[in-house]
Amino acid sequence: MSGVVVTRAQRLGHGAPTTRRVVVQIVVASVVAGVLMGVLWWLLAPDVHGVVVNGGLGYDSREGRHLFTRDAVFTLLGGGFGLVLSIVFVIWHRRNPVAALVALAAMGVVGSLIAKYVGEFLGPDGDVSGLADGAAALIPLRLGSDAALLVWSMVAVVVAAVVALFREDRTPWAPPGVNGP
């Protein structure tokens, strides 16, 4: 015997996950969540009705609030997805919190971009060719605020920081070569 004790978890491969494994899991979860968020945004965002005017779409001020609501729905969904994924991965990968934090921050933007493109693809296209002036048409589903793309990442980083504050063991956050307090 070599004197090295191997636990059952290590034999089964359940030891501390590698950084690559943490990142891959977060990438896959964020891509799937981004597609799901895009579908939910398409389903939950209100339709905005416009009128064909001189070959383009116009809308009155009453419909303008629905454009804001579309962005608000996207923002709230992004915050929710950031919250859930951050709690799951920061707690699940508590032995590799830095990799989880960085991957959650980066993939939050990617997931939001995926959601934006999926929602825009599924939403109305806004094609008014062949429609006469005064005809009603749906305004395309578009994200009016680019800042909404950052909400998922911001929530994920804040949640990861709060979880880190309440951790008993601070060694995963210590610089290499330092054993921690």
mmCIF file of all heavy atoms in Angstrom, residues 36 86 101 106 127:
data_model
loop_
_atom_site.group_PDB
_atom_site.id
_atom_site.type_symbol
_atom_site.label_atom_id
_atom_site.label_comp_id
_atom_site.label_asym_id
_atom_site.label_seq_id
_atom_site.Cartn_x
_atom_site.Cartn_y
_atom_site.Cartn_z
ATOM 1 N N LEU A 36 -34.321 28.636 -24.174
ATOM 2 C CA LEU A 36 -35.563 28.628 -23.401
ATOM 3 C C LEU A 36 -36.026 30.047 -23.084
ATOM 4 O O LEU A 36 -37.217 30.368 -23.199
ATOM 5 C CB LEU A 36 -35.376 27.824 -22.118
ATOM 6 C CG LEU A 36 -36.575 27.744 -21.184
ATOM 7 C CD1 LEU A 36 -37.736 27.050 -21.879
ATOM 8 C CD2 LEU A 36 -36.190 27.008 -19.909
ATOM 9 N N SER A 86 -26.927 30.957 -11.327
ATOM 10 C CA SER A 86 -25.865 31.329 -10.402
ATOM 11 C C SER A 86 -25.978 30.553 -9.096
ATOM 12 O O SER A 86 -24.985 30.018 -8.601
ATOM 13 C CB SER A 86 -25.914 32.824 -10.129
ATOM 14 O OG SER A 86 -24.881 33.190 -9.249
ATOM 15 N N LEU A 101 -17.760 31.660 -11.349
ATOM 16 C CA LEU A 101 -18.089 33.087 -11.435
ATOM 17 C C LEU A 101 -17.760 33.663 -12.805
ATOM 18 O O LEU A 101 -18.594 34.329 -13.431
ATOM 19 C CB LEU A 101 -17.347 33.865 -10.349
ATOM 20 C CG LEU A 101 -17.489 35.376 -10.391
ATOM 21 C CD1 LEU A 101 -18.906 35.771 -9.995
ATOM 22 C CD2 LEU A 101 -16.489 36.032 -9.480
ATOM 23 N N ALA A 106 -19.505 35.516 -18.206
ATOM 24 C CA ALA A 106 -19.332 35.526 -19.662
ATOM 25 C C ALA A 106 -20.517 34.900 -20.377
ATOM 26 O O ALA A 106 -21.028 35.436 -21.370
ATOM 27 C CB ALA A 106 -18.045 34.795 -20.039
ATOM 28 N N ASP A 127 -42.854 42.340 -42.136
ATOM 29 C CA ASP A 127 -42.837 42.537 -43.580
ATOM 30 C C ASP A 127 -44.141 43.209 -44.018
ATOM 31 O O ASP A 127 -45.227 42.684 -43.805
ATOM 32 C CB ASP A 127 -42.676 41.191 -44.287
ATOM 33 C CG ASP A 127 -42.558 41.335 -45.788
ATOM 34 O OD1 ASP A 127 -42.168 42.432 -46.254
ATOM 35 O OD2 ASP A 127 -42.857 40.355 -46.500
#
